[in-house]
Structures are given as structure tokens and as C-alpha cells.
Amino acid sequence: AYNPLFLYGGVGLGKTHLLQSIGNAVLQNNSKSKIRYLSAEKFSGDLITSIKNKTVDKFKEEYKKINLLILDDVQFLSGKEKTQEELFHIFNELYGKNNQIVLSSDRPPKAIATLEDRLRSRFEGGMIADITPPDYETRIAILKTRLVEKNLGELNDDVLAYIANNVTKNIRELEGALNRVVMASKMDGSMTTLDKARTALAYTNQGNAVKTTPKTIIKIVSEFYGIKEEELMDQSRKREIVLPRLIWMFLMREELKSSYTFIGDRFGGRDNTTVK
């Protein structure tokens, strides 16, 4: 019903698990289905190899025969013009045959910098689903499930609540925190208490307290949009640079309460009206 299906969300939220589950489910329903699952980086690497070996036509023909293409981490297509061009043609071929395409990324299509408009429009042509961090109740359910699955014993509700309240954005980190708390008690053979949980997760809490500075804002915005820091700070009027730059200025005002003059100075000496 939805082609393509585009899933996006932060690290450690289970996107890759979902992609693999989709592939397994299709294979179970039809064992003759031709499915290819790979990352965008692997796709790009295979294309480069085919160009080097002068086997590009064979590379494209192999993809045109599949029934389901599952492409993970498509944000890494950013800036790879030849890869985007070949993927565009493969996409059209599969779509025209009503074959399914499933994609994942750490951001929505419109936030992938230097992605060709024609490919972006294809990505946005089906269903886009945001994989959000689990809520409190789901985090508690995950912790209880992992205790049973891994035969880790039982933990008091207050200990589970402490873990769930301190690790909120990443399922991998949530499971890691659970393992550290359980291991801390196994080390001395005593019961897991709330104080022990606090001690076991102390460095996790410290690690979350990242000091916000102009430099960290520049770094985070640049990484999110897949552009270089110097590109963000120069005076280019390229469309893929304008939005990240506006986001950077907004965060400077919102997070650091920086003056317009300060922001203008950081951005090549622009005057206040330009920044406003």
C-alpha cells in the first residue's frame, strides 16, 4: 500500500531490526521473493567497484530483478552524485514494476543535505514514518522483557523506574544500563538497591551533561545536515546551506541567548539586520 516506505529516527531505536523483520516476513510469505538488504554505504561501495571493473550494466541489471529493495542509512547518500543518479534509475525501474522499496535514515528526506530534488521527491512519494524514542511505560516494558529473556532475575520497581527515567532516548543505552545495574549486584552477590543503581549509572548521568557552546552547536548542526563546519560558517547562498545556517542562528539565540551582534560576528561579520 505504501511504496516507498521511509523510516527515520535516531540511533538505537530499532530501525535496522524493523527493516530486517520486513525482509524476513516477505520471505516467509513467498520463499521465491528476491530481496536485497544493504546499507547506502555498501550500495555506493558496490557501485564504485562496478565502475572500476567496468561492470556497471551488470550491477544495474542485478538490482532490476529484485522484488524488494531495503536500503538502510540513506543519509550517507549525501554528496554522492553518481550513487544518487544510479539509485534514481534503479528506483524508477523497481517502482514501475510495482516492486517494494523500503528506506531508512536518521532524518527525514527534506533534512538530508545535498540530496537531489528528484530523488528526494521519490523518497517522499510513499509513507514516511517517524520512529520516536519509547515512552516511559514502553521503557519499563522493555526492561522487564529483557530481564526475562536474559534470565537476569528480578529488580524492584523503584530500580526499574530509576533506569527508565535516566535513559530515555536510546534502547541500546537502556539495555546497557540494565546490564550494568544487574552486574553491579552480581559482583558482590547482594540484592540490587536503588543506591546501587545510582552508583552503577553515575557516569551515564555525567555523560549526558554536555556543555552547550557555540562550537558544539556548529558541530551538531553540521553533523545533522551532513555538511562541513566551514560550509556552515561561510557566506554561501546555496539552498542546502541556508536552512542549516538559520537553524544554527536560532539555536545560538535560544540556547545561549547570544546577541545579534555576537552571532553576526561569528558569521563573517554580518550586521544585526542580516541576522534578525
Side-chain angles (χ1 to χ4, degrees):
Y2 305 106
N3 197 18
L5 171 62
F6 191 103
L7 307 175
Y8 77 93
V11 175
L13 295 180
K15 298 188 299 298
T16 298
H17 284 84
L18 283 171
L19 295 183
Q20 293 175 348
S21 296
I22 290 170
N24 288 331
V26 170
L27 204 56
Q28 287 174 3
N29 290 332
N30 184 358
S31 61
K32 294 182 180 180
S33 293
K34 295 179 180 178
I35 302 169
R36 179 160 295 188
Y37 164 84
L38 74 168
S39 68
E41 282 192 304
K42 180 68 165 59
F43 178 87
S44 182
D46 289 349
L47 174 61
I48 291 170
T49 300
S50 72
I51 294 173
K52 180 181 176 182
N53 296 335
K54 298 181 180 180
T55 56
V56 176
D57 289 340
K58 181 181 177 182
F59 171 86
K60 291 190 283 191
E61 285 303 315
E62 288 179 356
Y63 275 91
K64 291 176 182 179
K65 294 176 182 177
I66 63 179
N67 306 116
L68 169 61
L69 173 62
I70 304 175
L71 198 60
D72 204 355
D73 289 329
V74 297
Q75 71 271 11
F76 290 113
L77 294 171
S78 179
K80 297 181 173 69
E81 296 178 4
K82 182 62 175 175
T83 302
Q84 291 185 34
E85 179 184 348
E86 295 302 337
L87 178 60
F88 174 77
H89 295 305
I90 290 171
F91 188 109
N92 285 345
E93 184 78 17
L94 295 176
Y95 187 84
K97 294 178 178 178
N98 202 31
N99 290 333
Q100 182 69 44
I101 303 160
V102 181
L103 310 158
S104 86
S105 175
D106 63 357
R107 65 201 73 173
K110 64 183 178 181
I112 302 176
T114 62
L115 184 67
E116 291 183 7
D117 287 340
R118 61 180 182 172
L119 200 54
R120 193 191 313 276
S121 69
R122 295 297 189 278
F123 289 177
E124 294 176 338
M127 168 171 274
I128 300 177
D130 179 8
I131 310 300
T132 58
D135 56 27
Y136 173 79
E137 290 79 8
T138 304
R139 296 196 299 275
I140 291 291
I142 290 170
L143 291 171
K144 289 184 176 181
T145 300
R146 292 298 180 269
L147 285 173
V148 174
E149 287 179 347
K150 296 184 179 181
N151 196 25
L152 297 176
E154 295 183 0
L155 289 179
N156 293 332
D157 288 344
D158 56 347
V159 173
L160 291 174
Y162 182 79
I163 298 172
N165 281 320
N166 279 273
V167 184
T168 61
K169 297 181 179 180
N170 188 309
I171 296 173
R172 288 194 202 119
E173 290 181 4
L174 186 69
E175 293 179 355
L178 175 65
N179 290 336
R180 288 195 297 276
V181 170
V182 171
M183 188 57 65
S185 294
K186 285 187 175 181
M187 293 286 285
D188 59 14
S190 62
M191 183 178 177
T192 304
T193 63
L194 188 55
D195 286 339
K196 279 193 175 183
R198 289 194 182 102
T199 301
L201 300 185
Y203 86 92
T204 302
N205 296 333
Q206 291 171 1
N208 289 335
V210 178
K211 184 179 179 181
T212 304
T213 66
K215 189 172 182 179
T216 59
I217 291 177
I218 292 171
K219 183 175 184 294
I220 290 169
V221 173
S222 299
E223 287 180 352
F224 182 84
Y225 285 99
I227 60 177
K228 296 178 181 178
E229 292 183 23
E230 52 267 30
E231 289 179 318
L232 182 66
M233 301 310 297
D234 69 21
Q235 298 186 15
S236 169
R237 294 182 179 274
K238 291 180 180 179
R239 185 173 58 180
E240 62 266 22
I241 304 297
V242 172
L243 177 60
R245 184 180 295 138
L246 291 173
I247 296 295
W248 169 74
M249 290 181 179
F250 172 79
L251 291 174
M252 289 287 288
R253 286 286 296 173
E254 192 74 13
E255 297 294 325
L256 299 181
K257 311 302 179 187
S258 300
S259 66
Y260 292 122
T261 302
F262 179 81
I263 297 173
D265 289 341
R266 297 282 295 188
F267 177 40
R270 293 296 183 94
D271 58 33
N272 291 351
T273 44
T274 302
V275 177
K276 290 178 183 178

